[in-house]
Amino acid sequence: MSYAIQAEGLVKRFKETTALGGVDLSARPGTVLGLLGPNGAGKTTAVRILVTLLRPDAGRAEVGGYDVVRQAHQARAMIGLTGQYAAVDETLTGAENLVMIGRLLGLSRPDARARARELLARFGLADAAERAAKTYSGGMRRRLDLAASLVGRPRVLFLDEPTTGLDPHSRNALWDIVRELVAEDVTVLLTTQYLDEADRLADDIAVVDHGRVIATGTPAELKTRTGGLVLEVRPAEPERLDLVLDVMREVIGARPELDGGLAVAGVNDPAVVPAIVRRLDDLGVVAAELSLRRSSLDEVFLALTGRRAAGAETEPEEPEETELEGAGV
Amino acid sequence: MSAVTASRRVGPLDTARHTMTLAWRGLVQIKHNPMELLDLSVQPIMFVLLFTYVFGGAIAGSPGEFLQWALPGIIVQNALFATLATAVGLNVDVEKGVFDRLRSLPIARTAPLTGRVLADLAKQVWSLALVLAIGLALGFRIQTGIGGVLASAALLIVVALAMSWMSVLIGLAASSVEKVQIFAFSLMLPLTFTSSAFVDIRTMPGPLATWAEVNPVTYLSDAIRGLLLGGPVAAPATRALLWSAAIAVVCAPLAVRAFRRRA
């Protein structure tokens, strides 16, 4: 089987810090690979290597069958890139931004204009085509940015945190576009800190932390791998929470987490639930809330890294990215 | 299939085409925003007026006499400041991610640099014409002829090209546009003032006069003065070109290194 994206043992160091400590990735054609991890995990560095902007210190990678270092030019012809910040020329109109890319990619002037019109219409920017991009809203800029990365009909599309800072409506619109592209057999690599985003879009997920891939699999596999089920109990009387924690630990054999007034524990065997209910009943504890559900990717991430994932703490970005903080959008 | 054919490398013809497209990008904004052209023009107009009417009487006895002497110097200072537009533009591209987008395209590696430099040279010619036109309107009289004007423009463009290497270096190395501007101001202002651009360097104290004599801005100002007003041209022009070559030789490899490091 051939892969649209394949990376083996990618290593990248920036002075003291090791941004990537040997990363393997692969994506089958026409699928979405989600690169999931907190800020500073190395996601952006991996993307920059795959789109030929950064040379790896060790390891190799192929995109669309071309080596990103030795055949960088051919690899570039296969890819589209949408970075963390809308990389559009703000002084140009939306149409001019796209015509410029088309011309650079060797389209004739009429073809470049036609392609620009087509993309602007597809992304709901037709009315704004002749306005300077600096008058666009954040969501419009992102859409123009995505359109710009599609001018050359790339076979492999890289989206680096494409929905960071977008409102829910724009985010849903972007997700729909990604699904359409995949239906057209485009391969997408998407980095995200948002677990539900990876859950909804990705066929496969690679969880990245501290420059390493710490888990891979489909969203379902990842959820099953770490416990699979989550039991949450909230006692009607908050002061009896300690008692609930004790009971859960006793029955499950592992210490539950505290989440507000909620005792949360991963469970593998659903049979523990009636056992816990019986014990609580014996002790006269009434549960105001008691639920058993499949674990979300959030809990998967917590189980894998021992930390919460999205947005909680902001860790330092990859070194070369810090100066971009707050630009765009 | 992909709209782009995956050829092995970029030929010279394509390189030229990519450069032209990116130069177009640098100039087309003027079409929507003619104010941009005015922005380019405000500083030269201000310089001519300020120097002539504020300092002219004190330095040369009358604004008219001063203008006749100093306009070539104003032209030089204006041209040197204009080369810094390249640094600002590149820095903005890097910061906004436009630079990354361009470099992720299958185009000539140098095109994002050469395209911008070319667009900035066009703006440079415009601002040169503007300063000269204002000078003429205020009473400056060319003593040589059209040949002198064209030769001045050619010399300034060659020097500006060499200086753009420095500008590219600053644009790629600086971490923000503000730093570019601070650097530009604190380098260009003293450099242009400690020269024969506006005054007779024989009036300067010893060590300063010694520096001013070898300052490239002095050579360039003297050469332009010779080309527009008559007088020696060959010696100062040669020295100005040697200086430019030296600046390019030092800055070009550093700029290329900064460019690669961005890669």
Side-chain angles (χ1 to χ4, degrees):
Chain A
M1 154 156 270
S2 73
Y3 290 97
I5 302 171
Q6 191 164 26
E8 286 164 19
L10 291 182
V11 174
K12 186 71 196 178
R13 292 180 204 89
F14 297 106
K15 292 184 184 124
E16 301 300 294
T17 49
T18 302
L20 295 182
V23 163
D24 301 335
L25 293 171
S26 57
R28 289 165 290 125
T31 65
V32 179
L33 171 64
L35 219 53
L36 177 65
N39 261 336
K43 304 186 299 291
T44 297
T45 306
V47 168
R48 287 176 65 82
I49 289 173
L50 293 172
V51 300
T52 78
L53 290 176
L54 208 59
R55 272 168 177 269
D57 295 327
R60 52 182 293 284
E62 277 184 10
V63 172
Y66 293 109
D67 188 287
V68 297
V69 176
R70 285 180 295 109
Q71 299 168 301
H73 186 70
Q74 289 105 309
R76 284 180 196 119
M78 308 298 287
I79 62 170
L81 166 67
T82 292
Q84 282 184 32
Y85 304 99
V88 296
D89 187 330
E90 301 195 343
T91 60
L92 300 188
T93 65
E96 283 166 350
N97 265 292
L98 301 186
V99 168
M100 174 183 83
I101 306 275
R103 294 287 288 152
L104 287 172
L105 292 175
L107 299 183
S108 71
R109 203 160 301 167
D111 286 353
R113 290 213 187 101
R115 180 76 180 137
R117 257 198 308 278
E118 181 189 331
L119 284 166
L120 289 165
R122 177 172 184 179
F123 286 79
L125 294 169
D127 293 338
E130 302 306 323
R131 265 165 49 197
K134 64 177 160 233
T135 67
Y136 284 20
S137 70
M140 290 166 78
R141 272 180 221 207
R142 281 296 179 86
R143 295 208 297 276
L144 180 62
D145 190 38
L146 187 57
S149 65
L150 295 177
V151 172
R153 301 180 198 278
R155 304 306 305 149
V156 184
L157 184 64
F158 291 87
L159 303 173
D160 193 8
E161 305 203 1
T163 59
T164 302
L166 284 192
D167 61 77
H169 176 73
S170 306
R171 194 187 55 197
N172 285 327
L174 198 133
W175 287 353
D176 286 341
I177 290 163
V178 171
R179 292 190 186 105
E180 281 173 34
L181 289 168
V182 172
E184 294 165 21
D185 214 31
V186 173
T187 309
V188 176
L189 186 149
L190 167 102
T191 79
T192 182
Q193 315 181 35
Y194 304 122
L195 301 151
D196 66 320
E197 186 162 83
D199 199 5
R200 278 162 197 249
L201 286 180
D203 298 294
D204 295 287
I205 293 177
V207 183
V208 187
D209 194 38
H210 296 305
R212 289 181 184 279
V213 176
I214 55 172
T216 53
T218 63
E221 280 167 2
L222 285 180
K223 286 182 201 169
T224 316
R225 189 177 309 174
T226 42
L229 297 171
V230 175
L231 176 65
E232 295 175 326
V233 183
R234 184 195 302 277
E237 298 150 275
E239 61 274 15
R240 311 200 73 172
L241 190 60
D242 283 342
L243 200 56
V244 172
L245 288 174
D246 287 343
V247 168
M248 285 172 75
R249 184 175 53 210
E250 215 173 284
V251 177
I252 299 166
R255 213 188 123 63
E257 298 279 325
L258 259 181
D259 185 3
L262 208 59
V264 183
V267 287
N268 290 312
D269 180 7
V272 298
V273 180
I276 290 172
V277 173
R278 269 195 302 274
R279 289 279 289 127
L280 290 176
D281 193 35
D282 291 347
L283 293 163
V285 178
V286 180
E289 202 180 320
L290 189 146
S291 65
L292 182 69
R293 56 174 173 79
R294 267 164 58 92
S295 57
S296 73
L297 275 170
D298 277 293
E299 280 123 3
V300 172
F301 196 87
L302 184 65
L304 289 169
T305 65
R307 298 196 315 277
R308 290 255 158 225
E313 298 93 355
T314 25
E315 285 173 48
E317 265 290 333
E318 280 95 274
E320 85 277 10
E321 289 298 330
T322 42
E323 63 210 26
L324 297 180
E325 215 72 60
V329 192
Chain B
M1 251 333 276
S2 177
V4 186
T5 42
S7 56
R8 198 152 260 291
R9 52 182 298 280
V10 187
L13 212 68
D14 283 330
T15 303
R17 207 167 41 77
H18 299 151
T19 300
M20 289 314 287
T21 300
L22 287 167
W24 165 84
R25 172 209 166 199
L27 295 172
V28 71
Q29 45 192 271
I30 294 169
K31 197 178 76 189
H32 313 292
N33 187 10
M35 288 299 285
E36 169 104 1
L37 212 53
L38 206 66
D39 285 349
L40 280 173
S41 322
V42 166
Q43 191 168 310
I45 295 172
M46 195 179 68
F47 272 12
V48 176
L49 293 176
L50 282 180
F51 278 117
T52 306
Y53 293 106
V54 176
F55 299 123
I59 294 174
S62 79
E65 259 174 78
F66 179 72
L67 183 68
Q68 191 64 17
W69 154 261
L71 192 74
I74 297 172
I75 286 174
V76 167
Q77 186 186 44
N78 184 57
L80 293 180
F81 270 103
T83 58
L84 291 162
T86 308
V88 173
L90 268 182
N91 197 265
V92 169
D93 273 1
V94 169
E95 225 172 305
K96 295 268 179 205
V98 176
F99 201 60
D100 278 351
R101 146 129 320 132
L102 294 177
R103 291 186 322 119
S104 73
L105 296 175
I107 60 171
R109 298 293 81 197
T110 51
L113 295 184
T114 51
R116 180 164 286 286
V117 167
L118 198 63
D120 288 339
L121 274 186
K123 294 179 184 172
Q124 177 84 263
V125 171
W126 156 261
S127 104
L128 167 67
L130 195 75
V131 174
L132 199 58
I134 296 164
L136 289 170
L138 295 179
F140 179 76
R141 289 296 164 256
I142 297 167
Q143 307 294 319
T144 50
I146 187 71
V149 175
L150 292 179
S152 301
L155 180 61
L156 283 168
I157 284 170
V158 171
V159 173
L161 262 178
M163 294 290 286
S164 358
W165 280 112
M166 193 177 77
S167 203
V168 167
L169 176 60
I170 298 168
L172 292 176
S175 55
S176 70
V177 174
E178 288 74 24
K179 289 210 180 104
V180 171
Q181 277 156 348
I182 290 167
F183 183 81
F185 204 68
S186 49
L187 176 81
M188 281 300 181
L189 213 62
L191 189 69
T192 49
F193 273 98
T194 58
S195 76
S196 69
F198 310 110
V199 295
D200 186 343
I201 56 179
R202 284 170 300 185
T203 62
M204 295 178 185
L208 187 59
T210 312
W211 155 247
E213 264 172 52
V214 296
N215 183 342
V217 182
T218 296
Y219 295 136
L220 189 56
S221 302
D222 289 350
I224 301 297
R225 204 164 271 139
L227 286 167
L228 294 179
L229 299 176
V233 171
T238 310
R239 285 174 190 151
L241 289 172
L242 282 174
W243 257 111
S244 304
I247 288 168
V249 163
V250 172
C251 291
L254 291 174
V256 169
R257 209 183 63 150
F259 182 66
R260 290 247 170 85
R261 229 170 31 155
R262 288 281 182 189

